[in-house]
């Protein structure tokens, strides 16, 4: 009966240079391992200690990367350890099995979205009409499932985000602000649904999870135990739940702590 470990990636396990939060003196900074290269440049990192822990975790549990990234964005990441047999992309819209989309799962997701929430095009048009070019840098649609904006965070009006969230709520959509990105995601498109499917297929008796954003809340609530770092949407809002540990660490050291906790909880007690 395996243990299933489902973890968000960006700002949970892996970190851009801007998100590392290395506040200690340079001489005491942890050694870093680059785990993602984009356009020939290093993009995402974890500590070398976290990399070794993740390698060990691959032997102790079924590790499932669980991300809002598109499949193409996910496939840029080169995590240490065994290649995961399962991965969840597009916030649950795609379940990868040995790197290939499970078409039956994807079809089920599309049917659920068509039935339970407003169409993507309506949301995309609203974003195009209301977002100010002064602070919007990019409009993006991900996997024909959800939309997001890349913004200048310091220019972004907080009131606009609140109004967007209220508008989206009435259409069955969720809004999440993560770093320089604002996501608009259908409520039925969840990481937790895909994780439950992997748990069913693997026969896992225990599910562990970690995440930092509003889009990870359902994942954490669906797990038997979970962890959130000391940064991100969930930490900023003071979000908590009975089986979720709020860690004090921020930045890349939070990622290391999370993998350490995963490994500790995955190993059978003596």
């Amino acid at each position: 009966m395996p243990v299933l470990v489902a973890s968000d990636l960006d700002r949970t396990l892996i970190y851009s240079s801007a998100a590392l939060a290395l506040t200690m003196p340079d001489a005491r900074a942890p050694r870093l391992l680059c785990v993602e290269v984009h356009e020939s440049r290093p993009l995402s990192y974890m500590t070398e200690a976290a990399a070794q822990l993740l390698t060990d975790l691959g032997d102790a549990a079924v590790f499932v990367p669980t991300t809002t990234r598109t499949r193409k964005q996910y496939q840029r990441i080169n995590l240490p350890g065994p290649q995961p047999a399962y991965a969840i992309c597009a916030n649950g819209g795609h379940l990868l099995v040995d790197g290939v989309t499970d078409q039956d799962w994807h079809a089920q997701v599309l049917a659920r979205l068509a039935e339970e929430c407003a169409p993507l095009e309506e949301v995309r048009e609203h974003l195009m009409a209301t977002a100010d070019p002064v602070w919007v840098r990019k409009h993006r649609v991900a996997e024909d499932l959800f939309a997001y904006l890349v913004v200048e965070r310091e220019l972004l009006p907080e009131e606009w985000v609140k109004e967007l969230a209220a508008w989206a709520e009435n259409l069955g959509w969720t809004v999440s602000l993560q770093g320089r990105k604002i996501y608009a995601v259908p409520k039925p498109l969840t990481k937790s649904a895909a994780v439950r499917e992997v748990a069913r297929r693997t026969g896992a008796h225990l599910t562990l999870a970690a995440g930092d954003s509003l889009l990870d809340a359902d994942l954490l609530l669906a797990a038997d135990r979970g962890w959130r770092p000391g940064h991100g949407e969930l930490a900023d809002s003071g979000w908590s739940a009975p089986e979720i540990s709020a860690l004090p660490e921020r930045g890349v050291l939070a990622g290391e702590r999370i993998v350490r906790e995963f490994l500790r909880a995955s190993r059978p007690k003596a």
Side-chain angles (χ1 to χ4, degrees), residues 1-9 12-14 46 48-66 79-86 205-210 225 227 254-269:
M1 296 286 284
V3 174
L4 191 156
V5 174
S7 183
D8 176 51
L9 296 178
T12 298
L13 283 194
I14 68 175
M46 59 197 319
E48 287 191 352
Q52 182 57 58
L53 291 165
L54 190 60
T55 300
D56 295 341
L57 183 66
D59 295 326
V62 178
F63 172 61
V64 184
T66 306
L79 293 172
Q83 184 72 20
Y86 295 95
H205 74 286
L206 178 68
T207 298
L208 310 175
R225 289 188 64 189
W227 293 265
E256 181 179 319
R257 171 74 183 273
I258 285 167
V259 189
R260 196 178 304 278
E261 296 293 341
F262 279 155
L263 190 58
R264 184 179 292 124
S266 297
R267 286 174 165 161
K269 303 297 185 289

Side-chain angles (χ1 to χ4, degrees), residues 68 90-91 145-147 172-176 183-190 215:
T68 304
N91 215 62
L145 292 169
F146 61 90
W173 286 62
T174 296
V175 171
S176 175
Y183 291 90
V185 178
K187 285 187 178 181
L189 187 67
T190 64
L215 295 176

Side-chain angles (χ1 to χ4, degrees), residues 15-17 34-45 69 76-77:
Y15 292 80
S16 68
S17 58
C34 177
V35 294
E36 179 185 14
V37 173
H38 181 46
E39 295 178 347
S40 302
R41 295 181 179 179
L43 189 61
S44 298
Y45 304 85
R69 284 181 177 228
R76 294 198 304 251
I77 300 171

Side-chain angles (χ1 to χ4, degrees), residues 62-258:
V62 178
F63 172 61
V64 184
T66 306
T67 180
T68 304
R69 284 181 177 228
T70 65
R71 290 169 291 176
K72 184 177 180 180
Q73 292 167 337
Y74 166 68
Q75 287 162 352
R76 294 198 304 251
I77 300 171
N78 185 16
L79 293 172
Q83 184 72 20
Y86 295 95
I88 294 164
C89 295
N91 215 62
H94 285 280
L95 172 58
L96 306 188
V97 182
D98 294 327
V100 179
T101 289
D102 184 310
Q103 295 297 344
D104 288 342
W105 173 257
H106 185 58
Q108 291 176 41
V109 170
L110 294 180
R112 197 156 54 244
L113 298 188
E115 183 178 333
E116 298 179 20
C117 59
L120 169 64
E121 189 59 26
E122 183 176 348
V123 174
R124 192 188 70 83
E125 288 177 0
H126 182 81
L127 290 173
M128 296 287 286
T130 63
D132 191 331
V134 169
W135 41 262
V136 172
R137 292 296 168 258
K138 297 176 184 177
H139 289 260
R140 292 286 185 265
V141 170
E143 302 271 21
D144 292 323
L145 292 169
F146 61 90
Y148 65 94
L149 305 177
V150 180
V151 301
E152 294 292 345
R153 184 69 180 263
E154 63 276 9
L155 301 178
L156 177 68
E158 186 177 323
E159 198 58 36
W160 182 87
V161 179
K162 292 179 180 177
E163 290 172 0
L164 176 65
W167 178 86
E169 174 78 21
N170 293 327
L171 298 181
W173 286 62
T174 296
V175 171
S176 175
L177 177 59
Q178 302 178 38
R180 295 177 59 238
K181 293 180 180 178
I182 300 172
Y183 291 90
V185 178
K187 285 187 178 181
L189 187 67
T190 64
K191 294 178 178 181
S192 59
V195 167
R196 288 190 187 99
E197 176 63 13
V198 176
R200 184 189 67 81
R201 295 186 187 193
T202 59
H205 74 286
L206 178 68
T207 298
L208 310 175
D212 71 293
S213 81
L214 181 63
L215 295 176
D216 297 313
D218 70 285
L219 170 65
L220 293 170
L221 291 172
D224 297 296
R225 289 188 64 189
W227 293 265
R228 68 161 175 82
H231 60 257
E233 267 185 320
L234 297 180
D236 292 346
S237 66
W239 184 91
S240 63
E243 299 302 324
I244 308 305
S245 298
L247 301 176
E249 291 89 349
R250 301 170 59 88
V252 72
L253 291 180
E256 181 179 319
R257 171 74 183 273
I258 285 167

